[in-house]
Amino acid sequence: MSPAEPVEPPEAAEALPAVAPRLRELRRRASLTLEAAARTAGLSPAHLSRLETGQRQPSLPTLLALARVYGTTVSELLGETVADRDSIVRAADMDPTRAGGWTYWQAGAQGRGMQALRVHVPYGAQGDIVRVHPGEEWLYVIEGRLRLSLGDTTHTLAPGDSAHFDSLTPHRIAAAERGGADLLFVHTLLQSPATALCLGGPSQGEPT
């Protein structure tokens, strides 16, 4: 059964014009075939091929998946650099990136074992995507209300609430209010290109 392809909203098509050749370069650097990389990221080979040729642009969850598969960071996928792995990230240097309807800012240096993001999740964006992958995630709600599904249980988080969970637990993240939600998001970066990931629609055995 082929993995379900995530639905990319129209606005993502113009968000990341230079990411396609970088995706192809990083896959080849990891010595992965198109089929192997797509399978590991939970994508179909046809969908990954369209991402690499610029016919489609990846959402933020897809970028996170591919970053883990290639043993790199979202920053490198987007061509962003942080000189000498600086420990301090200034607010003025946090340029917003929009992908898959989400807006996010890199809040940490690249090349670390964890990646830190400040994220705005708009209402209705990717709320039906189930994520399953090795690692850990921590999030803290700054503003708005967030709907977090962990396995068969759904939680509503208010400002000041946080969650820390194993990423192998099938999980969904969505804004619970029309104004969206703002959060701090930290996840581990696993370096192994063989790591099994699943980003996309619900697959067999996962909750719907």
Side-chain angles (χ1 to χ4, degrees), residues 7-198:
V7 176
E8 314 292 348
E11 62 268 23
E14 299 178 0
L16 307 172
V19 74
R22 197 167 295 112
L23 289 176
R24 184 167 52 252
E25 175 188 350
L26 290 172
R27 175 175 61 78
R28 290 173 176 171
R29 186 192 303 177
S31 300
L32 291 171
T33 65
L34 186 72
E35 292 74 14
R39 181 176 61 253
T40 306
L43 305 172
S44 71
H47 185 65
L48 181 56
S49 177
R50 286 193 288 270
L51 295 177
E52 290 190 354
T53 55
Q55 298 175 49
R56 298 291 293 275
Q57 294 288 357
S59 64
L60 175 56
T62 300
L63 287 173
L64 292 173
L66 291 172
R68 291 188 183 98
V69 171
Y70 299 151
T72 185
T73 64
V74 172
S75 292
E76 185 174 4
L77 288 180
L78 297 175
E80 300 170 358
T81 58
V82 179
D84 300 322
R85 287 175 35 156
D86 291 338
S87 298
I88 306 301
V89 180
R90 301 294 182 184
D93 297 328
M94 292 185 186
D95 295 327
T97 298
R98 294 174 178 83
W102 295 20
T103 304
Y104 72 97
W105 297 258
Q106 289 286 344
Q110 66 176 352
R112 302 289 187 178
M114 298 185 298
Q115 289 193 58
L117 304 170
R118 182 162 61 90
V119 182
H120 175 73
V121 183
Y123 183 75
Q126 303 174 357
D128 60 339
I129 295 178
V130 175
R131 302 170 175 84
V132 180
H133 53 85
E136 294 183 40
E137 296 182 33
W138 175 88
L139 59 85
Y140 175 90
V141 181
I142 302 171
E143 187 173 348
R145 293 166 68 83
L146 190 75
R147 188 170 65 254
L148 172 66
S149 297
L150 297 173
D152 295 325
T153 305
T154 299
H155 309 268
T156 300
L157 280 62
D161 291 343
S162 62
H164 189 175
F165 53 92
D166 188 324
S167 303
L168 284 174
T169 302
H171 52 284
R172 294 186 180 99
I173 298 174
E177 300 176 331
R178 293 195 174 277
D182 292 286
L183 57 135
L184 297 176
F185 177 76
V186 177
H187 68 93
T188 55
L189 173 63
L190 301 178
Q191 300 292 337
S192 172
T195 297
L197 299 173
C198 177

